[in-house]
Amino acid sequence: MHSLKLFLFASLFASPLVSAADPGQKPLTDRLSGTLFLDSDREPLTFNYSTHDPHESNWIALYRESRDGPANEAYSSPPLVWEYAPERQGSVYLAVNQIADSHSPGKYKAYFLANDGHRWLAPPVSVSLAGLSVNSGLRFPVDHATLHNSRQLEQYSARIDGLLLGQGSATTSFQKIEGASWVQVDSNGTAFGVPGIFAPRRSQVVVRATADGGSSAVIRLTIPVRRIHQALVRDLHILTWNLWHGGTQVRDYHEKQLRFILESGADIVCLQETTSDHATRLGQALGWYHWQSGKSVGIISRYPIVEEYGEITRAGGARIGLNGKRSGTELNLWTIHTGAYPYGPYDFCFDHLTPDQVLADEIKSLRVPQVTQTLDGIQNQLDDAQSVPVVFTGDFNAPSHLDWVESTRDNHCGVGNFSWPTSVLMAERGFVDSFRVVHPDPVRDPGNTWSPILPRHDGETGPIEPQDRIDFIYHKGRLEVVGSQKLVVGKPSPSPNHANNEWTSDHAALLTHYLV
Ligand SMILES: *[C@@H]1O[C@H](CO)[C@@H](O)[C@H](O)[C@H]1NC(C)=O
Ligand SMILES: *[C@@H]1O[C@H](CO)[C@@H](O)[C@H](O)[C@H]1NC(C)=O
Ligand SMILES: *[C@@H]1O[C@H](CO)[C@@H](O)[C@H](O)[C@H]1NC(C)=O
């Protein structure tokens, strides 16, 4: 096997699909006489092509699928990487390592195009690049991961194959090396079995993944085992995280994000700035349930998404089932990413607007109407919150009236009390700000989530970025807050020197630990 494969790419799954799913394009593909195939046995990415119209300037180009490329046989964006394909029949190698830093993983599309232009010579080919690092070798993002809860005498199953990185185009298989006798590991990367009544309360299993080229990686897994009569879930950790362009601003974001999510202990992650498919990407890699909106937000969860509510303005919601096959605990979960501009703290700090002008901007930015419409849209869930609690998270792009008070005047450009209308709306509708339940003093615990990479540099020239808590986890109904903390990994270098940060976002994340 070519070692370069592993060197170039964490993993590569490819299928020579004809991707003209849009019925409007059907006639187009029908009239094409050329062919384009991915040769998955050779170095990524190698394509075989053929055409009845050979030309020295025919070319093969790769585009990210979410940016449309020459989908309509016209220019729409530059390709990520391309090469000429001048023969009647031949093969072309696209050096995807050139794009590894900033563009993988995800879905891509390759086009065989005529004569330096955008006329198709063959139906395009879809390519998925998973994993992402240019580091070589098979590995897991963490040495140890805790999986979702099991319960005595109930069938259990968890997938870990998506966590494996660096397999190139190799075939891999998984096996149990040691651990609790009730846990079996299928070669496909599924841990399964039925814990008996003597199963260890935190059952452990060590799993090895082996690639056909011989390299291997090991991960230790913990599976909590609940007792027969217990609820499947008692401690629930909910994370809200603005990914910042999906995470793509930082190298190796896929691996870093997986590591952070697994180490945070989150059971449910509410995401913003998922830019088209990043909630799906993370959900699939973690082997979790996932819902991706067409806009900014997404939800990934260890426990089943039993109903998708879809979108209301800039929010999205789902109902999560927390008690396995038995009835019982459920949760209604919403996450929002409101309009960003004009931004209130800039209004006060840089533009020195009056409180009334700032209030007007909270409406102009659409934040107030977006929150109001979402809350109106889920009024029935709010009314029912005593039986099914509602958790409402997100990047509100506005601070809280609980934080802008007299005692914090000095942290907020000399403004004391200010009733930020979105946090007031949440309070009026009966929501509790989980962070302030355990950290009531905004002087001692500001909890600022904006922004760990635009830190406040007092004494330096240039504008001082106002620091604020703009990401929230609110709840309504019978949930007990055990803890709530903002999370950042490492000491991120300030923008614009952020590319090698371990922290992949420009926001801090917020994690609340509930008892359900
Ligand atoms: C691509 O072309 C090479 C060389 O001609 C050939 O060995 C290989 O089987 C082809 N692969 C596909 C998928 O057509
Ligand atoms: C993986 O293995 C599990 C356990 O044997 C099995 O139930 C499941 O169907 C397999 N999944 C796939 C995709 O083969
Ligand atoms: C600020 O708000 C608090 C609580 O509502 C109130 O007690 C206090 O008088 C206000 N201070 C000023 C200066 O408005």
Side-chain angles (χ1 to χ4, degrees), residues 407-431:
S407 56
T408 59
R409 180 183 284 275
D410 290 348
N411 299 336
H412 298 137
C413 304
V415 182
N417 282 354
F418 187 72
S419 295
W420 294 99
T422 45
S423 66
V424 169
L425 267 170
M426 295 303 287
E428 283 172 356
R429 300 290 182 107
F431 278 99

Side-chain angles (χ1 to χ4, degrees), residues 328-380:
T329 331
E330 293 190 333
L331 190 72
N332 281 319
L333 183 71
W334 286 86
T335 188
I336 194 165
H337 186 196
T338 61
Y341 298 108
Y343 182 53
Y346 292 168
D347 283 354
F348 275 126
C349 297
F350 301 151
D351 300 329
H352 309 291
L353 301 190
T354 65
D356 281 347
Q357 290 171 317
V358 176
L359 281 177
D361 274 354
E362 289 302 297
I363 293 165
K364 197 167 132 197
S365 66
L366 301 180
R367 288 186 286 272
V368 171
Q370 286 159 354
V371 172
T372 307
Q373 274 183 51
T374 307
L375 293 172
D376 288 348
I378 62 170
Q379 189 58 51
N380 56 339

Side-chain angles (χ1 to χ4, degrees), residues 159 186 188 190 192:
R159 292 188 61 165
D186 188 284
N188 71 16
T190 303
F192 66 102

Side-chain angles (χ1 to χ4, degrees), residues 256-277:
K256 290 171 178 173
Q257 289 170 331
L258 293 179
R259 185 153 48 237
F260 166 62
I261 291 172
L262 289 169
E263 289 181 347
S264 75
D267 299 298
I268 297 171
V269 186
C270 299
L271 299 164
Q272 303 87 39
E273 277 194 44
T274 62
T275 56
S276 81
D277 59 359

Side-chain angles (χ1 to χ4, degrees), residues 134-317:
V134 291
N135 299 332
S136 57
L138 210 58
R139 67 197 180 282
F140 289 101
V142 291
D143 298 331
H144 169 248
T146 300
L147 303 182
H148 65 268
N149 291 355
S150 66
R151 186 161 46 197
Q152 291 172 340
L153 307 186
E154 275 179 32
Q155 184 68 44
Y156 180 83
S157 167
R159 292 188 61 165
I160 59 156
D161 53 311
L163 292 178
L164 186 63
L165 303 169
Q167 68 263 54
S169 51
T171 306
T172 50
S173 68
F174 296 78
Q175 77 191 109
K176 176 178 167 182
I177 303 177
E178 59 180 50
S181 57
W182 70 268
V183 185
Q184 300 177 60
V185 176
D186 188 284
S187 62
N188 71 16
T190 303
F192 66 102
V194 178
I197 51 174
F198 298 115
R201 217 161 52 85
R202 293 178 65 76
S203 291
Q204 303 261 339
V205 60
V206 179
V207 175
R208 177 189 286 133
T210 310
D212 52 10
S215 67
S216 68
V218 165
I219 187 167
R220 187 164 49 88
L221 305 170
T222 297
I223 304 173
V225 180
R226 304 280 294 164
R227 302 186 69 82
I228 300 176
H229 298 294
Q230 287 180 320
L232 183 66
V233 178
R234 170 110 171 100
D235 293 86
L236 185 71
H237 297 82
I238 298 181
L239 185 78
T240 187
W241 194 18
N242 178 315
L243 291 178
W244 192 25
H245 299 280
T248 56
Q249 308 302 300
V250 170
R251 288 203 179 93
D252 293 345
Y253 59 93
H254 181 65
E255 181 166 355
K256 290 171 178 173
Q257 289 170 331
L258 293 179
R259 185 153 48 237
F260 166 62
I261 291 172
L262 289 169
E263 289 181 347
S264 75
D267 299 298
I268 297 171
V269 186
C270 299
L271 299 164
Q272 303 87 39
E273 277 194 44
T274 62
T275 56
S276 81
D277 59 359
H278 291 278
T280 307
R281 167 175 65 79
L282 288 168
Q284 287 176 346
L286 291 160
W288 290 10
Y289 299 85
H290 46 88
W291 173 74
Q292 169 76 64
S293 78
K295 297 180 190 131
S296 170
V297 297
I299 294 170
I300 60 178
S301 170
R302 290 180 189 285
Y303 297 103
I305 291 174
V306 293
E307 186 174 352
E308 293 176 358
Y309 294 127
E311 296 172 48
I312 303 177
T313 72
R314 299 285 300 271

